[in-house]
Amino acid sequence: MSVSFEGRVVLVTGAGGGLGKEYALAFAERGASVVVNDLGADTKGGGKSSAAADKVVEEIRAKGGKAVANYDSVEDGEKVIQTALDEFGRIDILVNNAGILRDRSFARTSDLDWDLIQRVHLRGSFLVTRAAWNHMKNQKFGRIIMTTSAAGIYGNFGQANYSAAKLGLLGLANTLAIEGRKYNVHCNTIAPVAGSRLTETVMPPDLVASLKPEYVAPMVLWLCNEQCQENGGLFEVGAGWIGKLRWERSQGQIVRQKNQPATPEVVRDQWDKICDFTDATKPTSIQESLQSIVSALSSVESDEEVGANPTSASVASASGINPAEAVGQTLPPSTFSYTHTQCILYALGVGMSTKDPDHLRFLYEGHEDFSCLPTFGVIVSQAAMMDGGLSSVPGLNIDFTQVLHGEQYLELYKPLPTSGELTSKTSIADVLDKGSGAVILLDVNTYSGDELVCYNQFSVFVVGAGGFGGKRSSEKAKASLPPPNRAPDAVVIDSTTRDQAALYRLSGDWNPLHIDPSFAAMGGFKAPILHGLCSFGFAARHVLKQFADNDPSRFKAIKVRFVKPVMPGQSLQTEMWKEGNRIHIQCKVKETDAVVLAGAYVDLHGASEEASPENLTQGGGLQSELVFAEIGRRIKDVGPTMVKKVNAVFGWEITKDGKNAAQWTIDLKNGAGSLHKGPLSGKADVTFTVADGDFMEVVQGKLNPQKAFFSGKLKVRGNIMLSQKLEVILKDYAKL
Ligand code: NAI
């Protein structure tokens, strides 16, 4: 794909000559509509003329390009941007380039020398950028360039005023990169070197002639293209060479001891170590920077003799991901209120139709069995993430334009109500390093009041964020499973409509990728794509109809892996294999035969389960049932690891209303581990007796097991020391 600016509106400030002119010509040549801003000042900021900008506009037009001139000073930022809006209707790209020089040795720098330089470079870039900012944010696209200088980065004799303003621009860019990231508004900084009227007084004429501005322009164009994901970078560029800069920080040295004053003498004595760049780190964010300072604080308080930087292994990587910091963090709880309208809208979003009489129970609130589709459980839970909650998690400094939805697991503990207010609590369960990217596992528990309604695990893939030295797999991950090796037991083909994504998004996923053609193009798609969770909804209801008579109470859980996108209008082919109460599924696009959902399955409750007398008397209505079911599944997945960690047999007597209601044995001593429901066999090392409600309180961390024990709510027989291992089973594995 070539680097094109067709349809883009570009503003280059100070484009009447030098570097700016070269940028303007190059953008226009590649299809952009260009606003050529130049005040037509002399190099010191004096005078004013429209000739400079006009000449560049003429040159662009003569070549068949689109350009208009603007003669305002960058100090009139609003006016400069208004020209772009008036003439071309939008503003996509802004190159802050205008500049002047008033070189003086520091002692001779006057107030005017100082102020003029700050006003044109720093304040001018601020004013023009602020005028463009909301337009870029609202359209979810923007590329901004700040122009710094080697004089700012390294200092230069006679340029105190200029150095200060130029490095000020880097600070401005650093923060804009952070604030703009989630709106796809990127800001980068360049320190160019080129022969121009600004440099002809300081460089020999030969060099001025050979360091052509046209060698710098390609870098500016690339940074401003929608294909380029660079954000917050600093580059030196000249003569056709480009290099990237970053900060480096020494391991550092702690210079005080617990309960003792810090002294300049200690600083002096540790000076070599403070300045030693052996094993230096490269912090990329304020969080990483602070992390070392805070860890220094705790090592001083705990009297450890270590450097201010944690070992390089525990320091966040250049990608900004630090699992040690991120895992276990929680997002602010989110509340989701809904009525039957949202349930119906969702059902329509995942392709239900009144054409099928069976669908009416999900589409008509007056239907005698009116129900909410089970997969609506992802909608009620995703709010915390949709609100951008992830961006505030320490240790997860990631580029949000690079986030893909990789996998999804949903489990319902009761049918979803058709209206209500649900609260979701989201935590970072794990962060994995897959080399080409990072996987973030998010566990979301959704409650109605105190009652757990459903559990989701979102698995998101961050392209390019891998390589931070983390683990590749996690026992916390809900695994996908391959289908059996035989022809499917059932196949359902269902078409999506051209407006499927436009309809589905109304349920709360507003990502423009699914509706805005230019946004989709930026992600490399020919057109907006269907939401992965929409195909997920299609597949789930195919199973529900085929194997559970459209009865939502039969639905237990679903897992899918998103493999390829679906375009609205394509047909989905769901292939199903029944293995007991587990229905394996694979979803393809019928037209292309491409697999879109893989490793997927739906777990159903057995049809006879509710009717069985054992369930009515024993399991019926016990909340602890859910936890044991989960423990059972975890034992299947990672039994040997649990056996190794725990090495004991636990007996449980769950009571309800003072009566014995269920008994369970968790055997984590023998072989791969096992879970058994029924009378206790006597082989348990320790046996707990607890009421169903208290058990849930303990599991949810609301009731401390020790407290429960001392207050008599939890009775223990056998090896009481083993209760300490409960945490491993309940917290780590039951994930409640
Ligand atoms: P230049 O002097 O050829 O271009 C600067 C342009 O900005 C001029 O056309 C001038 O009329 C315009 N301008 C000045 N004040 C303005 C204002 N208030 N409003 C609108 N336009 C205004 O200089 P050159 O070399 O092309 O510099 C471009 C940028 O690159 C500047 O920001 C400069 O500081 C920076 N830079 C250049 C280096 C070089 O080697 N040429 C080195 C480091 C930084």
Side-chain angles (χ1 to χ4, degrees):
M1 210 184 340
S2 68
V3 175
S4 159
F5 293 92
E6 214 60 58
R8 294 288 180 208
V9 176
V10 181
L11 168 73
V12 183
T13 69
L19 284 161
K21 172 184 171 185
E22 212 52 50
Y23 305 156
L25 291 169
F27 275 117
E29 198 166 293
R30 285 176 181 257
S33 303
V34 183
V35 179
V36 177
N37 157 267
D38 207 297
L39 179 69
D42 63 31
T43 53
K44 294 197 157 107
K48 196 170 169 8
S49 146
S50 57
D54 284 342
K55 267 185 75 182
V56 177
V57 169
E58 272 163 36
E59 195 175 331
I60 291 174
R61 288 185 179 161
K63 290 183 184 161
K66 298 175 283 279
V68 293
N70 167 285
Y71 318 116
D72 293 308
S73 165
V74 286
E75 292 186 72
D76 286 318
E78 291 285 347
K79 283 196 199 160
V80 178
I81 291 296
Q82 197 56 46
T83 301
L85 302 176
D86 290 346
E87 298 291 329
F88 300 122
R90 55 191 287 140
I91 176 72
D92 298 299
I93 293 164
L94 164 61
V95 183
N96 288 296
N97 166 79
I100 53 169
L101 283 181
R102 291 179 77 94
D103 294 356
R104 297 265 192 286
S105 62
F106 182 57
R108 295 175 53 216
T109 301
S110 68
D111 286 5
L112 187 65
D113 293 333
W114 179 267
D115 291 346
L116 270 182
I117 289 289
Q118 308 304 320
R119 274 168 46 192
V120 173
H121 288 274
L122 188 52
R123 192 157 193 277
S125 299
F126 154 64
L127 289 167
V128 182
T129 306
R130 190 181 59 182
W133 188 253
N134 279 340
H135 299 284
M136 292 180 171
K137 252 176 79 174
N138 292 340
Q139 72 199 12
K140 299 243 173 357
F141 177 80
R143 295 287 184 269
I144 299 166
I145 298 291
M146 296 294 174
T147 307
T148 185
S149 159
I153 300 171
Y154 307 107
N156 195 23
F157 191 94
Q159 294 197 306
N161 52 355
Y162 180 73
S163 307
K166 282 308 207 189
L167 211 58
L169 286 164
L170 176 64
L172 173 61
N174 286 340
T175 292
L176 295 188
I178 292 169
E179 290 192 14
R181 179 179 292 146
K182 75 174 174 197
Y183 304 102
N184 190 24
V185 177
H186 294 177
C187 185
N188 289 288
T189 306
I190 59 162
V193 178
S196 76
R197 62 179 200 164
L198 279 194
T199 43
E200 66 192 5
T201 50
V202 288
M203 282 185 197
D206 281 1
L207 210 52
V208 170
S210 51
L211 288 173
K212 296 193 189 346
E214 67 202 55
Y215 301 149
V216 175
M219 170 63 169
V220 171
L221 264 67
W222 169 243
L223 284 175
C224 292
N225 195 254
E226 59 206 21
Q227 295 169 50
C228 177
Q229 293 305 318
E230 183 70 30
N231 187 21
L234 169 64
F235 302 88
E236 288 184 342
V237 45
W241 170 90
I242 303 166
K244 184 171 183 178
L245 284 83
R246 66 181 173 195
W247 294 100
E248 196 176 39
R249 183 172 61 181
S250 70
Q251 278 281 314
Q253 186 60 24
I254 290 178
V255 294
R256 74 178 179 94
Q257 284 176 329
K258 196 175 179 180
N259 301 330
Q260 284 183 18
T263 65
E265 287 76 17
V266 179
V267 177
R268 175 195 62 202
D269 297 342
Q270 298 293 336
W271 196 245
D272 286 349
K273 280 192 179 161
I274 292 168
C275 301
D276 180 358
F277 275 92
T278 315
D279 296 329
T281 60
K282 296 163 185 78
T284 58
S285 68
I286 198 159
Q287 288 81 7
E288 284 176 46
S289 154
L290 258 180
Q291 193 197 347
S292 331
I293 311 252
V294 172
S295 76
L297 189 66
S298 61
S299 30
V300 171
E301 293 313 314
S302 64
D303 260 346
E304 284 170 33
E305 290 237 356
V306 292
N309 277 321
T311 58
S312 47
S314 67
V315 171
S317 70
S319 72
I321 290 197
N322 182 1
E325 197 180 3
V327 174
Q329 294 280 353
T330 53
L331 268 52
S334 67
T335 306
F336 185 87
S337 302
Y338 65 103
T339 66
H340 62 267
T341 312
Q342 279 91 336
C343 303
I344 295 171
L345 189 61
Y346 173 78
L348 291 168
V350 298
M352 292 212 128
S353 157
T354 52
K355 272 188 268 173
D356 187 338
D358 286 352
H359 289 175
L360 214 54
R361 70 181 291 177
F362 300 105
L363 296 175
Y364 173 40
E365 72 285 4
H367 191 282
E368 57 178 355
D369 291 323
F370 178 58
S371 314
C372 182
L373 269 176
T375 45
F376 188 67
V378 296
I379 303 292
V380 301
S381 313
Q382 71 190 3
M385 274 161 286
M386 294 294 164
D387 294 349
L390 261 189
S391 60
S392 60
V393 176
L396 281 191
N397 185 17
I398 52 175
D399 179 352
F400 284 88
T401 61
Q402 297 301 302
V403 169
L404 303 172
H405 195 169
E407 301 185 21
Q408 182 71 29
Y409 178 82
L410 162 69
E411 180 159 354
L412 294 190
Y413 301 121
K414 53 178 289 196
L416 291 169
T418 52
S419 66
E421 185 176 278
L422 304 180
T423 306
S424 292
K425 296 181 182 162
T426 306
S427 61
I428 312 293
D430 222 338
V431 182
L432 309 179
D433 187 348
K434 297 284 186 185
S436 62
V439 169
I440 304 171
L441 295 180
L442 291 140
D443 279 349
V444 187
N445 284 305
T446 301
Y447 301 84
S448 168
D450 281 345
E451 195 179 6
L452 184 63
V453 177
C454 63
Y455 159 72
N456 274 272
Q457 185 173 76
F458 292 78
S459 166
V460 299
F461 190 80
V462 191
V463 180
F468 52 87
K471 55 184 182 173
R472 282 190 75 86
S473 58
S474 168
E475 56 192 29
K476 305 250 171 83
K478 293 287 187 179
S480 52
L481 297 171
N485 197 6
R486 60 168 199 267
D489 302 325
V491 178
V492 171
I493 296 171
D494 205 350
S495 53
T496 68
T497 71
R498 175 61 221 250
D499 288 320
Q500 204 70 57
L503 184 57
Y504 179 84
R505 65 195 293 275
L506 302 182
S507 286
D509 184 340
W510 304 101
N511 187 340
L513 177 64
H514 307 290
I515 185 95
D516 181 341
S518 58
F519 199 90
M522 227 155 54
F525 298 106
K526 277 200 239 82
I529 60 171
L530 195 62
H531 303 68
L533 282 177
C534 179
S535 315
F536 162 97
F538 268 77
R541 67 173 178 73
H542 292 158
V543 173
L544 203 63
K545 174 164 176 148
Q546 191 73 30
F547 293 101
D549 212 12
N550 271 328
D551 177 359
S553 70
R554 296 273 313 277
F555 181 96
K556 191 170 182 188
I558 177 169
K559 167 79 195 183
V560 307
R561 185 155 58 82
F562 302 106
V563 185
K564 275 209 169 118
V566 176
M567 306 315 277
Q570 288 181 322
S571 301
L572 288 169
Q573 172 170 328
T574 308
E575 302 169 345
M576 297 169 255
W577 292 259
K578 183 167 178 353
E579 295 271 283
N581 283 334
R582 175 161 286 172
I583 316 296
H584 291 270
I585 39 182
Q586 169 167 282
C587 232
K588 290 176 174 170
V589 165
K590 184 171 175 287
E591 290 80 359
T592 60
D593 209 36
V595 174
V596 291
L597 301 180
Y601 61 82
V602 170
D603 283 340
L604 297 172
H605 294 291
S608 56
E609 215 168 283
E610 297 91 327
S612 94
E614 188 209 72
N615 260 299
L616 286 179
T617 53
Q618 283 233 318
L622 287 184
Q623 294 193 61
S624 54
E625 205 86 347
L626 309 171
V627 179
F628 284 107
E630 179 59 30
I631 292 172
R633 264 192 298 280
R634 298 309 295 177
I635 291 177
K636 270 202 198 114
D637 290 350
V638 289
T641 323
M642 289 168 82
V643 168
K644 223 165 150 196
K645 266 196 201 162
V646 177
N647 194 31
V649 180
F650 297 85
W652 288 91
E653 289 172 342
I654 305 294
T655 63
K656 193 163 185 189
D657 303 327
K659 289 195 198 102
N660 198 336
Q663 292 167 324
W664 296 88
T665 307
I666 304 174
D667 184 343
L668 293 176
K669 202 174 199 172
N670 304 301
S674 65
L675 174 76
H676 168 76
K677 186 177 180 187
L680 301 179
S681 67
K683 68 175 178 178
D685 297 303
V686 57
T687 301
F688 306 98
T689 306
V690 62
D692 191 47
D694 293 335
F695 178 79
M696 290 311 285
E697 299 245 301
V698 170
V699 169
Q700 291 170 27
K702 289 184 194 153
L703 178 61
N704 172 310
Q706 274 80 33
K707 259 200 192 145
F709 174 69
F710 287 118
S711 64
K713 286 184 174 169
L714 178 73
K715 298 200 176 67
V716 187
R717 297 197 307 273
N719 183 351
I720 193 167
M721 293 308 286
L722 283 171
S723 359
Q724 286 171 4
K725 306 238 171 151
L726 272 184
E727 185 110 327
V728 180
I729 305 174
L730 298 181
K731 281 249 180 66
D732 295 3
Y733 292 97
K735 307 210 299 192
L736 287 167

